[in-house]
Amino acid sequence: MNRTGIVIILLCFLEAVAVVLWERRKARKTMGEIERMLDAAMTGSFSETTFD
């Protein structure tokens, strides 16, 4: 395999890692928001701010 092929494979691998990390960040943000909403619901102060 030549040098160009190795570079392309490495770039694809790095892009895949970046996508995985981005998706984990989005999931963590969503879970944090759900946790915040549940805490507010348990204390009786939950109010829907966005209707979609």
Side-chain angles (χ1 to χ4, degrees):
M1 183 177 285
N2 60 17
R3 190 176 190 148
T4 305
I6 293 172
V7 170
I8 290 173
I9 290 172
L10 181 60
L11 288 174
C12 289
F13 176 75
L14 291 175
E15 184 177 356
V17 169
V19 168
V20 168
L21 292 175
W22 179 261
E23 290 299 321
R24 287 183 65 180
R25 180 178 177 262
K26 284 182 8 182
R28 191 174 348 166
K29 184 178 176 184
T30 300
M31 294 305 286
E33 185 66 18
I34 291 171
E35 183 177 359
R36 184 195 63 77
M37 291 167 60
L38 287 171
D39 288 341
M42 287 189 299
T43 62
S45 62
F46 179 76
S47 173
E48 181 70 30
T49 57
T50 304
F51 299 99
D52 54 351

